Amino acid sequence: MIVERRLEKIREGVLNLHDIAKKSVEMFIEGLRGNDEVRKKLEDLEVKADLLHSDVDYDCITFIALFQPVARDLRFVVGMMKISSGYERITDLTLEIGYYYCDDDELLAIFEEMRRSLVEMFEILKKGYEGRDVDLVRMLKKQDNIVDNCYERAIVYLKEKCDVESVLVARHLERIGDILCKIGSGLIFIESGKRTIIK
């Protein structure tokens, strides 16, 4: 019973990180447009994510030390540590994006398309956490391909402009998609023990 409570606490911490990272992805565009209030909210989310990630890591390490888990429980704890790290990194990237500035409508439209796909990836992962029967690999690949295609379009568009900040925004958004795919792979590994690469 105590083991289950400890595992549930770790799971809840990671789900909270999921929600924080998703929220940061939902709002970064306004920071990119120069909204200082949103930039402050992104800073607050990043600090919350740092603290929560630290708590999750501590809970996982403590669980391993106290209970010496094997098989599924060990996969779960190690997987949650990696997933927690991915979500924390997403909040770092969205905060950095929020500090940049972009007033190019064509580029903002590409970034918005990327944002929508990233939010959809968060929704797909949430279904995976809830144990719903979803095809994580297929659904995440589909959205990540959209993000990758947007990235390529943004780079082609930016080649003529030499706008380094916008190149970094596009790269960070593409990286968030990759991190979300790794999180999906982690969920599959936790559940089945199978290593899956989503790309």
Side-chain angles (χ1 to χ4, degrees):
M1 187 115 165
I2 192 165
V3 168
E4 289 80 18
R5 281 198 309 257
R6 294 266 186 139
L7 291 173
E8 184 56 28
K9 181 181 180 200
I10 292 167
R11 183 181 178 282
E12 287 174 7
V14 170
L15 288 174
N16 286 337
L17 268 168
H18 173 93
D19 292 340
I20 289 168
K22 179 183 175 203
K23 184 172 223 137
S24 72
V25 167
E26 288 172 337
M27 63 186 355
F28 77 84
I29 288 275
E30 291 307 312
L32 193 54
R33 288 187 168 132
N35 185 325
D36 288 331
E37 186 177 309
V38 167
R39 288 175 173 166
K40 174 65 176 127
K41 288 178 183 175
L42 287 169
E43 289 172 3
D44 293 344
L45 289 171
E46 195 274 334
V47 168
K48 282 181 189 176
D50 283 348
L51 294 172
L52 192 52
H53 170 58
S54 177
D55 290 346
V56 167
D57 273 0
Y58 177 81
D59 290 342
C60 289
I61 291 167
T62 301
F63 184 88
I64 291 169
L66 291 175
F67 301 106
Q68 300 176 356
V70 295
R72 180 159 173 35
D73 287 346
L74 183 59
R75 281 196 320 265
F76 176 83
V77 172
V78 172
M80 289 291 114
M81 287 176 72
K82 290 176 131 187
I83 288 169
S84 169
S85 178
Y87 286 134
E88 190 278 329
R89 182 67 182 129
I90 288 169
T91 62
D92 290 343
L93 291 169
T94 55
L95 176 61
E96 187 173 335
I97 291 167
Y99 284 142
Y100 298 137
Y101 178 76
C102 180
D103 62 356
D104 184 311
D105 289 335
E106 189 169 341
L107 204 50
L108 284 168
I110 293 172
F111 294 156
E112 176 59 29
E113 186 177 348
M114 294 172 92
R115 187 198 66 78
R116 282 192 307 271
S117 285
L118 294 172
V119 169
E120 181 59 28
M121 292 172 85
F122 277 99
E123 294 299 324
I124 293 164
L125 289 169
K126 189 72 160 198
K127 291 174 187 171
Y129 286 120
E130 293 168 352
R132 291 198 224 160
D133 187 24
V134 294
D135 184 356
L136 282 177
V137 174
R138 184 186 59 76
M139 294 170 76
L140 288 172
K141 267 186 185 181
K142 178 182 175 187
Q143 294 304 316
D144 189 51
N145 286 339
I146 293 169
V147 173
D148 290 346
N149 288 336
C150 288
Y151 173 68
E152 290 172 14
R153 286 187 2 239
I155 295 304
V156 167
Y157 179 77
L158 290 167
K159 275 186 180 177
E160 297 173 17
K161 295 186 172 262
C162 295
D163 181 359
V164 175
E165 284 188 359
S166 294
V167 170
L168 290 174
V169 168
R171 177 64 189 121
H172 290 341
L173 292 173
E174 191 274 336
R175 183 69 186 124
I176 290 170
D178 291 346
I179 292 169
L180 291 170
C181 284
K182 286 183 181 186
I183 289 170
S185 294
L187 284 176
I188 291 167
F189 179 73
I190 289 168
E191 191 59 37
S192 68
K194 294 179 185 173
R195 293 178 187 220
T196 306
I197 297 173
I198 302 174
K199 196 59 188 147

